[in-house]
Amino acid sequence: MAPGLLAAAAVLAAVAASLAAHVALNCPVQPVPSHRPPPTPPPNNLLQRLEKLGEGALDAPEDVYVDAAAGGALYTATRDGWLQRMMHPNNGSWERWRFVGGTGLLGVAPSADGTMLVCDADKGLLRVGDEGVTLLASEVEGSPIRFADAAIEASDGTVYFSDASTRFGFDRWFHDFLEFSSTGRLLRYDPRSGETSVVLDRLGFANGVALPRDEAFVVVCETMRCIKVWLKGDKAGEAETFVDLPGWPDNIRLGSDGHFWIAVLQLRSPWLDFITRWTFTKRVVASFPALSEWSKGAAKGAMVAQVSEDGTILRVLDDSQGKVINFVTSVTEFNGDIFLGSLATNFVGKLSLARVAQKQGAVSS
Protein backbone atom coordinates (compact mmCIF):
# COMPACT_ATOMS: atom_id res chain seq x y z
CA MET A 1 0.00 0.00 0.00
CA ALA A 2 1.27 3.46 -0.88
CA PRO A 3 2.60 5.55 2.05
CA GLY A 4 -0.13 8.17 1.52
CA LEU A 5 -2.88 5.55 1.76
CA LEU A 6 -1.26 4.05 4.83
CA ALA A 7 -1.21 7.46 6.50
CA ALA A 8 -4.85 8.11 5.61
CA ALA A 9 -5.86 4.71 6.95
CA ALA A 10 -3.96 5.41 10.17
CA VAL A 11 -5.73 8.77 10.57
CA LEU A 12 -9.15 7.21 9.97
CA ALA A 13 -8.40 4.47 12.47
CA ALA A 14 -7.34 7.02 15.06
CA VAL A 15 -10.49 9.10 14.46
CA ALA A 16 -12.69 6.01 14.73
CA ALA A 17 -10.98 4.96 17.94
CA SER A 18 -11.34 8.46 19.38
CA LEU A 19 -15.04 8.57 18.44
CA ALA A 20 -15.68 5.16 19.95
CA ALA A 21 -13.93 6.17 23.16
CA HIS A 22 -15.86 9.45 23.37
CA VAL A 23 -19.18 7.67 22.86
CA ALA A 24 -18.31 4.97 25.38
CA LEU A 25 -17.46 7.55 28.02
CA ASN A 26 -20.12 10.19 27.33
CA CYS A 27 -23.22 8.56 25.87
CA PRO A 28 -26.20 9.29 28.18
CA VAL A 29 -28.64 6.87 26.52
CA GLN A 30 -29.12 3.13 26.27
CA PRO A 31 -30.97 3.01 22.96
CA VAL A 32 -33.11 0.31 21.44
CA PRO A 33 -34.27 0.22 17.79
CA SER A 34 -37.03 2.70 16.94
CA HIS A 35 -40.28 1.79 15.25
CA ARG A 36 -41.37 3.59 12.11
CA PRO A 37 -44.58 5.63 12.41
CA PRO A 38 -47.50 5.00 10.04
CA PRO A 39 -47.29 6.84 6.70
CA THR A 40 -48.06 10.55 6.83
CA PRO A 41 -51.19 11.50 4.84
CA PRO A 42 -50.78 13.89 1.90
CA PRO A 43 -50.22 17.44 3.19
CA ASN A 44 -53.09 19.93 3.15
CA ASN A 45 -51.39 22.87 4.95
CA LEU A 46 -54.71 23.97 6.43
CA LEU A 47 -53.01 25.04 9.65
CA GLN A 48 -51.33 27.80 7.67
CA ARG A 49 -54.66 29.66 7.76
CA LEU A 50 -54.48 30.21 11.50
CA GLU A 51 -54.44 33.51 13.39
CA LYS A 52 -51.60 34.22 15.82
CA LEU A 53 -52.90 35.31 19.22
CA GLY A 54 -50.49 37.53 21.14
CA GLU A 55 -47.53 36.97 18.85
CA GLY A 56 -44.34 37.90 20.68
CA ALA A 57 -45.97 37.90 24.13
CA LEU A 58 -45.58 34.21 24.96
CA ASP A 59 -42.57 31.98 25.47
CA ALA A 60 -43.31 28.46 24.21
CA PRO A 61 -46.96 27.98 25.32
CA GLU A 62 -47.04 24.17 25.43
CA ASP A 63 -50.69 23.63 26.39
CA VAL A 64 -53.88 25.68 26.08
CA TYR A 65 -57.05 25.40 28.15
CA VAL A 66 -60.31 27.15 27.23
CA ASP A 67 -62.69 28.11 30.05
CA ALA A 68 -66.15 27.78 28.50
CA ALA A 69 -67.84 29.07 31.66
CA ALA A 70 -65.91 32.32 31.29
CA GLY A 71 -66.93 32.82 27.68
CA GLY A 72 -63.89 31.16 26.18
CA ALA A 73 -61.09 32.67 28.25
CA LEU A 74 -57.75 31.09 27.33
CA TYR A 75 -55.07 29.87 29.73
CA THR A 76 -51.56 28.68 29.01
CA ALA A 77 -48.24 28.19 30.82
CA THR A 78 -44.97 29.61 29.54
CA ARG A 79 -41.24 29.09 30.09
CA ASP A 80 -40.95 32.16 32.34
CA GLY A 81 -42.96 30.41 35.06
CA TRP A 82 -46.25 32.25 34.50
CA LEU A 83 -49.77 31.05 33.89
CA GLN A 84 -51.09 33.48 31.30
CA ARG A 85 -54.70 34.37 30.52
CA MET A 86 -56.54 35.96 27.61
CA MET A 87 -60.09 36.85 28.66
CA HIS A 88 -61.38 37.74 25.18
CA PRO A 89 -59.82 35.61 22.41
CA ASN A 90 -61.42 37.73 19.68
CA ASN A 91 -59.99 41.06 20.79
CA GLY A 92 -58.00 40.53 23.98
CA SER A 93 -54.38 40.41 25.00
CA TRP A 94 -52.40 38.08 27.23
CA GLU A 95 -52.02 38.94 30.91
CA ARG A 96 -49.85 37.34 33.56
CA TRP A 97 -52.41 35.61 35.77
CA ARG A 98 -50.54 33.48 38.33
CA PHE A 99 -46.81 33.08 38.93
CA VAL A 100 -45.65 29.51 39.60
CA GLY A 101 -41.97 29.71 38.74
CA GLY A 102 -39.59 27.44 36.89
CA THR A 103 -39.22 26.63 33.21
CA GLY A 104 -41.06 23.30 33.15
CA LEU A 105 -44.75 24.25 33.28
CA LEU A 106 -46.60 22.06 30.77
CA GLY A 107 -50.17 20.75 30.94
CA VAL A 108 -52.94 22.94 32.39
CA ALA A 109 -56.42 21.69 33.28
CA PRO A 110 -59.37 22.97 35.32
CA SER A 111 -60.45 21.65 38.69
CA ALA A 112 -64.05 21.65 39.93
CA ASP A 113 -63.13 23.89 42.87
CA GLY A 114 -62.10 26.73 40.57
CA THR A 115 -58.37 26.16 40.84
CA MET A 116 -56.06 25.07 38.04
CA LEU A 117 -54.18 21.80 37.82
CA VAL A 118 -50.70 22.31 36.40
CA CYS A 119 -48.08 19.75 35.50
CA ASP A 120 -44.64 21.03 36.39
CA ALA A 121 -42.22 18.68 34.67
CA ASP A 122 -39.64 19.26 37.40
CA LYS A 123 -41.80 19.39 40.54
CA GLY A 124 -44.84 17.20 39.81
CA LEU A 125 -48.60 17.80 39.92
CA LEU A 126 -49.58 21.25 41.23
CA ARG A 127 -52.80 23.00 42.20
CA VAL A 128 -52.79 26.75 41.51
CA GLY A 129 -55.43 29.13 42.87
CA ASP A 130 -56.05 32.37 44.71
CA GLU A 131 -54.28 31.04 47.79
CA GLY A 132 -51.11 30.15 45.92
CA VAL A 133 -49.44 26.98 44.68
CA THR A 134 -49.90 23.57 46.32
CA LEU A 135 -47.82 20.53 45.45
CA LEU A 136 -50.17 17.55 45.15
CA ALA A 137 -47.80 14.82 44.01
CA SER A 138 -44.03 14.62 43.53
CA GLU A 139 -43.56 10.86 43.87
CA VAL A 140 -45.50 7.65 43.39
CA GLU A 141 -44.99 4.44 45.33
CA GLY A 142 -41.55 5.62 46.45
CA SER A 143 -40.44 6.64 42.96
CA PRO A 144 -39.94 10.31 42.03
CA ILE A 145 -42.13 11.83 39.34
CA ARG A 146 -39.44 12.98 36.94
CA PHE A 147 -41.50 14.44 34.07
CA ALA A 148 -45.10 15.42 34.93
CA ASP A 149 -46.70 16.25 31.60
CA ALA A 150 -50.50 16.41 31.32
CA ALA A 151 -53.52 16.00 33.60
CA ILE A 152 -57.31 15.70 33.61
CA GLU A 153 -59.76 15.70 36.53
CA ALA A 154 -62.66 13.24 36.64
CA SER A 155 -66.09 14.15 38.00
CA ASP A 156 -65.29 12.46 41.34
CA GLY A 157 -62.17 14.60 41.79
CA THR A 158 -59.68 11.91 40.81
CA VAL A 159 -56.83 13.33 38.74
CA TYR A 160 -55.22 11.26 36.00
CA PHE A 161 -51.85 12.55 34.86
CA SER A 162 -48.78 11.40 32.98
CA ASP A 163 -45.14 11.02 33.93
CA ALA A 164 -43.49 11.08 30.50
CA SER A 165 -40.23 9.40 31.45
CA THR A 166 -38.56 8.05 34.55
CA ARG A 167 -35.19 8.31 32.79
CA PHE A 168 -35.04 11.90 31.56
CA GLY A 169 -36.52 15.25 32.54
CA PHE A 170 -38.10 17.95 30.40
CA ASP A 171 -34.79 19.52 29.36
CA ARG A 172 -33.61 16.14 28.05
CA TRP A 173 -36.73 14.93 26.24
CA PHE A 174 -34.72 14.38 23.06
CA HIS A 175 -32.63 11.78 24.86
CA ASP A 176 -35.81 9.85 25.60
CA PHE A 177 -36.75 10.12 21.92
CA LEU A 178 -33.36 8.70 20.92
CA GLU A 179 -33.32 6.00 23.56
CA PHE A 180 -36.84 4.85 22.66
CA SER A 181 -37.24 3.21 26.04
CA SER A 182 -40.65 2.77 27.59
CA THR A 183 -40.44 4.18 31.10
CA GLY A 184 -43.43 6.55 31.05
CA ARG A 185 -46.44 6.10 33.34
CA LEU A 186 -50.10 7.01 33.66
CA LEU A 187 -50.74 8.01 37.28
CA ARG A 188 -53.81 8.54 39.46
CA TYR A 189 -54.04 11.12 42.26
CA ASP A 190 -56.77 10.58 44.87
CA PRO A 191 -57.67 13.92 46.51
CA ARG A 192 -59.42 12.17 49.40
CA SER A 193 -56.38 10.23 50.57
CA GLY A 194 -53.72 12.41 48.98
CA GLU A 195 -52.14 9.27 47.55
CA THR A 196 -50.81 8.73 44.03
CA SER A 197 -50.76 5.34 42.31
CA VAL A 198 -49.67 3.87 38.98
CA VAL A 199 -52.47 3.06 36.53
CA LEU A 200 -50.28 1.95 33.62
CA ASP A 201 -46.51 1.81 33.18
CA ARG A 202 -43.96 0.92 30.48
CA LEU A 203 -45.28 3.66 28.22
CA GLY A 204 -43.15 5.21 25.51
CA PHE A 205 -43.05 8.87 26.55
CA ALA A 206 -46.46 9.13 28.25
CA ASN A 207 -48.04 12.42 27.24
CA GLY A 208 -51.61 13.75 26.85
CA VAL A 209 -54.45 12.45 29.06
CA ALA A 210 -58.21 12.76 28.43
CA LEU A 211 -61.60 11.38 29.44
CA PRO A 212 -64.72 10.86 27.29
CA ARG A 213 -68.00 12.39 28.42
CA ASP A 214 -69.18 9.23 30.20
CA GLU A 215 -65.73 8.65 31.76
CA ALA A 216 -65.90 4.98 30.84
CA PHE A 217 -62.18 5.01 30.09
CA VAL A 218 -59.14 7.26 30.25
CA VAL A 219 -56.89 7.85 27.25
CA VAL A 220 -53.14 8.38 27.52
CA CYS A 221 -50.94 9.13 24.52
CA GLU A 222 -47.54 7.55 24.00
CA THR A 223 -45.13 7.04 21.12
CA MET A 224 -47.09 6.76 17.85
CA ARG A 225 -50.38 5.78 19.48
CA CYS A 226 -52.86 6.51 22.24
CA ILE A 227 -54.01 3.86 24.70
CA LYS A 228 -57.27 3.66 26.60
CA VAL A 229 -57.64 2.11 30.02
CA TRP A 230 -61.17 1.06 30.88
CA LEU A 231 -62.48 2.52 34.13
CA LYS A 232 -65.98 1.00 34.08
CA GLY A 233 -67.71 -2.17 32.95
CA ASP A 234 -66.49 -5.71 32.41
CA LYS A 235 -63.17 -4.49 31.01
CA ALA A 236 -62.35 -2.20 33.94
CA GLY A 237 -58.58 -2.11 34.44
CA GLU A 238 -57.79 -3.44 30.96
CA ALA A 239 -55.69 -1.42 28.47
CA GLU A 240 -55.93 -1.47 24.69
CA THR A 241 -54.90 0.65 21.72
CA PHE A 242 -57.23 3.60 21.16
CA VAL A 243 -55.72 4.93 17.92
CA ASP A 244 -52.49 4.71 15.91
CA LEU A 245 -51.33 8.05 14.55
CA PRO A 246 -48.95 9.26 11.80
CA GLY A 247 -46.44 10.74 14.21
CA TRP A 248 -45.85 11.17 17.94
CA PRO A 249 -49.06 12.17 19.78
CA ASP A 250 -48.75 14.88 22.39
CA ASN A 251 -51.69 16.48 24.23
CA ILE A 252 -55.26 15.28 23.73
CA ARG A 253 -58.49 17.08 24.63
CA LEU A 254 -62.17 16.26 24.39
CA GLY A 255 -64.07 18.49 21.95
CA SER A 256 -67.57 19.87 22.38
CA ASP A 257 -68.99 17.23 20.03
CA GLY A 258 -67.54 14.27 21.96
CA HIS A 259 -64.64 13.76 19.55
CA PHE A 260 -61.03 14.15 20.63
CA TRP A 261 -58.43 16.53 19.25
CA ILE A 262 -54.81 15.33 19.37
CA ALA A 263 -51.59 17.20 18.62
CA VAL A 264 -49.28 14.95 16.58
CA LEU A 265 -45.57 15.83 16.61
CA GLN A 266 -43.75 15.40 13.32
CA LEU A 267 -40.35 14.14 14.45
CA ARG A 268 -39.38 13.15 10.93
CA SER A 269 -36.67 14.34 8.55
CA PRO A 270 -34.13 12.54 6.36
CA TRP A 271 -31.54 13.12 9.08
CA LEU A 272 -33.73 11.93 11.96
CA ASP A 273 -34.83 8.89 9.97
CA PHE A 274 -31.17 8.10 9.35
CA ILE A 275 -29.89 8.44 12.91
CA THR A 276 -32.81 6.57 14.48
CA ARG A 277 -32.30 3.58 12.19
CA TRP A 278 -29.40 2.22 14.24
CA THR A 279 -28.59 2.26 17.92
CA PHE A 280 -24.97 3.24 17.22
CA THR A 281 -25.93 6.44 15.38
CA LYS A 282 -28.29 7.28 18.22
CA ARG A 283 -25.44 6.88 20.68
CA VAL A 284 -23.14 9.07 18.62
CA VAL A 285 -25.68 11.91 18.36
CA ALA A 286 -26.55 11.72 22.05
CA SER A 287 -22.87 11.92 22.99
CA PHE A 288 -22.42 15.36 21.42
CA PRO A 289 -24.74 18.03 22.94
CA ALA A 290 -24.35 20.40 19.98
CA LEU A 291 -25.22 17.62 17.54
CA SER A 292 -28.25 16.68 19.63
CA GLU A 293 -29.48 20.28 19.60
CA TRP A 294 -29.01 20.54 15.85
CA SER A 295 -30.81 17.24 15.32
CA LYS A 296 -33.81 18.42 17.37
CA GLY A 297 -34.24 21.32 14.99
CA ALA A 298 -34.10 19.12 11.90
CA ALA A 299 -37.77 18.16 12.13
CA LYS A 300 -40.23 20.67 10.68
CA GLY A 301 -43.98 20.51 10.51
CA ALA A 302 -47.17 20.59 12.55
CA MET A 303 -50.18 18.29 12.64
CA VAL A 304 -53.41 17.84 14.58
CA ALA A 305 -55.95 15.03 14.29
CA GLN A 306 -59.62 14.78 15.18
CA VAL A 307 -60.49 11.30 16.47
CA SER A 308 -63.90 9.87 17.33
CA GLU A 309 -64.71 8.21 20.65
CA ASP A 310 -64.24 4.79 19.04
CA GLY A 311 -60.74 5.69 17.83
CA THR A 312 -61.49 6.51 14.19
CA ILE A 313 -59.39 9.29 12.66
CA LEU A 314 -61.90 11.76 11.25
CA ARG A 315 -59.56 14.36 9.79
CA VAL A 316 -56.01 15.64 9.90
CA LEU A 317 -54.91 19.26 9.54
CA ASP A 318 -51.26 20.16 9.03
CA ASP A 319 -48.57 22.67 8.17
CA SER A 320 -46.26 20.22 6.45
CA GLN A 321 -43.14 22.40 6.47
CA GLY A 322 -43.88 24.39 9.62
CA LYS A 323 -44.08 27.64 7.67
CA VAL A 324 -46.71 29.28 9.93
CA ILE A 325 -46.65 27.04 13.00
CA ASN A 326 -44.22 24.30 13.96
CA PHE A 327 -44.07 21.59 16.63
CA VAL A 328 -47.71 21.81 17.77
CA THR A 329 -47.99 20.22 21.20
CA SER A 330 -51.67 20.83 22.04
CA VAL A 331 -54.98 21.48 20.34
CA THR A 332 -58.18 22.56 22.09
CA GLU A 333 -61.58 23.07 20.43
CA PHE A 334 -64.13 25.65 21.55
CA ASN A 335 -67.13 27.16 19.80
CA GLY A 336 -66.03 26.15 16.30
CA ASP A 337 -62.39 27.21 16.72
CA ILE A 338 -59.27 25.27 17.61
CA PHE A 339 -56.45 26.77 19.68
CA LEU A 340 -52.91 25.48 19.23
CA GLY A 341 -50.02 25.46 21.67
CA SER A 342 -46.40 24.88 20.73
CA LEU A 343 -42.96 24.75 22.33
CA ALA A 344 -41.56 26.38 19.18
CA THR A 345 -43.70 29.55 18.99
CA ASN A 346 -44.29 32.84 20.80
CA PHE A 347 -48.05 32.79 20.20
CA VAL A 348 -51.15 30.61 20.49
CA GLY A 349 -52.67 29.67 17.15
CA LYS A 350 -56.38 30.07 16.48
CA LEU A 351 -58.13 28.48 13.50
CA SER A 352 -61.81 28.63 12.61
CA LEU A 353 -62.98 25.16 11.63
CA ALA A 354 -65.52 26.78 9.33
CA ARG A 355 -62.58 27.80 7.16
CA VAL A 356 -61.47 24.24 6.51
CA ALA A 357 -63.53 21.73 4.58
CA GLN A 358 -64.65 18.66 6.51
CA LYS A 359 -63.41 16.31 3.80
CA GLN A 360 -59.94 17.85 3.60
CA GLY A 361 -57.36 15.99 5.57
CA ALA A 362 -59.68 13.01 6.16
CA VAL A 363 -57.88 9.71 6.48
CA SER A 364 -58.85 6.22 7.50
CA SER A 365 -57.53 4.75 10.70
Side-chain angles (χ1 to χ4, degrees), residues 17 29 44 48 81 97 102 104 152 159-160 170 175 239 254 266 304 322 333 348:
V29 300
N44 54 52
Q48 293 181 6
W97 179 62
I152 189 71
V159 179
Y160 296 93
F170 175 49
H175 284 161
L254 183 67
Q266 297 302 288
V304 301
E333 180 270 335
V348 164

Side-chain angles (χ1 to χ4, degrees), residues 225-311:
R225 66 173 180 168
C226 296
I227 296 174
K228 67 179 177 183
V229 180
W230 290 97
L231 302 176
K232 301 176 182 179
D234 296 338
K235 291 185 176 181
E238 295 183 15
E240 60 189 58
T241 296
F242 176 61
V243 62
D244 292 305
L245 291 159
W248 284 257
D250 202 302
N251 281 299
I252 175 173
R253 285 199 185 275
L254 183 67
S256 59
D257 56 5
H259 300 318
F260 294 95
W261 282 94
I262 306 172
V264 186
L265 296 179
Q266 297 302 288
L267 296 175
R268 299 290 303 274
S269 72
W271 171 249
L272 287 176
D273 288 349
F274 171 76
I275 65 172
T276 55
R277 188 172 300 173
W278 301 283
T279 58
F280 176 72
T281 48
K282 290 182 177 186
R283 287 171 57 83
V284 170
V285 170
S287 299
F288 294 89
L291 185 55
S292 291
E293 285 299 312
W294 182 84
S295 299
K296 277 197 294 184
K300 298 293 182 181
M303 180 181 290
V304 301
Q306 185 185 36
V307 178
S308 69
E309 190 173 318
D310 66 1

Side-chain angles (χ1 to χ4, degrees), residues 43-88:
N44 54 52
N45 292 318
L46 293 173
L47 293 183
Q48 293 181 6
R49 303 182 183 186
L50 62 79
E51 173 188 355
K52 298 178 180 180
L53 299 181
E55 186 175 12
L58 302 175
D59 182 6
E62 193 266 351
D63 192 18
V64 182
Y65 158 62
V66 183
D67 187 352
L74 302 181
Y75 293 84
T76 189
T78 47
R79 298 317 98 211
D80 55 8
W82 280 90
L83 293 182
Q84 312 241 15
R85 178 173 66 180
M86 178 180 283
M87 290 300 296
H88 306 288

